[in-house]
Amino acid sequence: MKGADLLVKALEAEGVEMIFGIPGEENLDVLEALKHSSIRLIVTRHEQAAGFMAATYGRLTGKPGVCLSTLGPGATNLVTAAAYAQLGAMPMVMLTGQKPIKTSKQGLFQIIDVVDMMGPITKSAAQIMSAYNIPARVREAFRLAESERPGATHLELPEDVAREETQALVIENSYDRRPIAESKAIQKAIDLIIDSKFPLILIGAGANRKQVGRMLDQFIEKTKIPFFTTQMGKGVVDERSPYFLGTAALSDNDFLHSVIKQTDLIINIGHDVIEKPPFFMEPDSFNVIHINFLTAQIDPVYFPQVDVTGDIGNTIFQLLQKIDMDNPDIQWQFGGFKEARQQLLKSFSEGAECNDFPMEAPRLVSDLRQLMPEDGIVALDNGMYKIWFSRNYLAYRHNTLLLDNALATMGAGLPSAIAAKLVYPDKKVVAVCGDGGFMMNSQELATAVQLKIDLVVLVLNDEAFGMIQWKQQQMGFESYGLELNNPNFIKYAESYGAMGHQLQTTEQFIPLVEQCFETPGVHLIEVPVSYQNCKI
């Protein structure tokens, strides 16, 4: 068979369900093979959006998402998405085309070294130089993308290799289990937990994996140890829990940071150093147990006393089995943490009923939380509003608040929401974008309409790059260079075949979103917002 046919069979063997992207003439053999395969091709309007969709597919399923582009400008458009997946630990495989490598008559037209370009921002990048090597290259790209810590990989398929005849066979997946933590490390962690007086649990992005949440639920229910999360650890454990204390790394003055100062032990589960530090260690301060798939990366503010390396879910299971709650040495004191919990609940109510218009962030978050079902998915772009969702939006299940605190790129919200709807067509999905971030990939409204999905897109319009403008003001600078001259978002949505709605009053928000949920199709709601009175 041709190399392109073998590539597609290898993708099918990996369980690939859909590929996102924009083919070019260098991919036409692959396109023909896809036409006769079980894989669904999702054609986007920009390669960057295709990459965001593939990364989000990987985040939601745990299996590598796949995106496709041609050479040159198509491949360069995937760079931001590659960094998004790599920093966010989202498994993704990128496939790019290339001119023939054995004989080419076009000189250097559109040719750049894509493999070298992708190398620094992926787990691996390689050119396939022989059709015989396709099965091994595909298997390794998927293995690396999915293994801890997950991320992006890249394969380049030149068009002459795609047409090359081969008798090579697909390499099937091998049985694989993650290593588990060593028993002495587990016992050392248990000793520290039992000896502590004010233990706290931190849940980070690395815990946002299969099975970990279930084990953590049981562990927290058994021990009653309070927990807090990083932004990308939200939802691993249901945040309606009476032991939830909030989300860290928002502000030095947050009450949660004062709580951290009271602890003598943080059980740090799955924290990824890509995120902003949720706490700073100092000599002679609290102890830290590092529980993760990989060993701790030591720096001046992070030097854990115990490193428990191995499958996180299994580590929590071992702790759950071995901690005896009848042990008389356990003298935990949670009084101060209960007070912090009351402060957390009180903070949620501040501004939640504010009727001011343009709408303010606390009211928006509160209203949307009321509207979303337990398994509904909110896909955030990046902007000022993300801080308020991090703080005030209680996530009931993991990956129901798709928040990026790694690359934190603008333009990912709408593509991520589209991918979420494709993975979970029966769930309610809402994209929340600022006006600046929305316009960076707004053309994907056409993709959503073409796919005939039901989707609600909130465009929070403050007519500026709001977060940077707010920071500019905080630094005492006069406003400059950050105002936006936006299109008419309603007509813009309608031009793509979507339905456009203009929010007129704050009180109208809930009934308008409910109306959009009940009406099939793609809906854009322009929500005028103000951050002037929001204290961070």
Side-chain angles (χ1 to χ4, degrees), residues 193-199 264 325-334:
I193 293 170
I194 290 175
D195 290 344
S196 66
K197 293 293 184 290
F198 312 103
D264 61 348
M325 293 304 297
D326 294 325
N327 187 328
D329 292 332
I330 293 178
Q331 300 291 326
W332 299 331
Q333 300 172 29
F334 296 138

Side-chain angles (χ1 to χ4, degrees), residues 364-381:
L364 172 75
V365 174
S366 176
D367 283 5
L368 191 57
R369 179 62 279 182
Q370 291 179 53
L371 285 161
M372 295 301 291
E374 188 167 306
D375 63 350
I377 296 173
V378 174
L380 294 183
D381 208 277

Side-chain angles (χ1 to χ4, degrees), residues 18-198:
M18 55 189 81
I19 293 178
F20 307 89
I22 303 176
E25 60 182 287
E26 291 73 27
N27 310 116
L28 288 177
D29 290 284
V30 174
L31 199 65
E32 184 66 17
L34 283 173
K35 185 171 69 175
H36 302 289
S37 78
S38 62
I39 299 172
R40 183 181 181 188
L41 177 63
I42 309 295
V43 178
T44 62
R45 297 306 177 98
H46 196 285
E47 291 89 354
Q48 184 187 93
F52 290 150
M53 291 179 195
T56 301
Y57 177 96
R59 177 178 185 170
L60 293 173
T61 66
K63 302 185 299 182
V66 182
C67 54
L68 173 74
S69 84
T70 187
L71 80 172
T76 59
N77 281 344
L78 287 176
V79 167
T80 299
Y84 175 76
Q86 183 73 357
L87 267 67
M90 306 176 202
M92 178 175 77
V93 175
M94 297 175 288
L95 304 172
T96 63
Q98 187 54 273
K99 295 292 183 187
I101 56 172
K102 297 173 183 177
T103 57
S104 178
K105 300 178 181 179
Q106 296 193 42
L108 295 178
F109 175 67
Q110 287 194 314
I111 293 180
I112 59 171
D113 193 332
V114 176
V115 175
D116 266 9
M117 177 182 73
M118 290 294 188
I121 53 172
T122 60
K123 296 181 76 174
S124 75
Q127 183 186 74
I128 301 174
M129 294 182 284
S130 165
Y132 177 80
N133 291 331
I134 288 174
R137 287 292 194 186
V138 170
R139 178 80 279 274
E140 180 67 356
F142 275 78
R143 186 191 69 80
L144 282 173
E146 193 170 348
S147 63
E148 289 294 340
R149 178 181 180 270
T153 60
H154 166 248
L155 291 175
E156 179 179 80
L157 182 65
E159 60 180 314
D160 53 351
V161 177
R163 292 171 187 164
E164 185 179 310
E165 294 289 331
T166 180
Q167 294 182 341
L169 300 175
V170 168
I171 298 175
E172 300 293 338
N173 290 5
S174 56
Y175 180 76
D176 180 42
R177 294 287 291 174
R178 296 188 185 104
I180 63 173
E182 198 267 342
S183 59
K184 290 182 180 179
I186 293 287
Q187 188 57 51
K188 188 69 175 176
I190 290 172
D191 292 343
L192 264 186
I193 293 170
I194 290 175
D195 290 344
S196 66
K197 293 293 184 290
F198 312 103

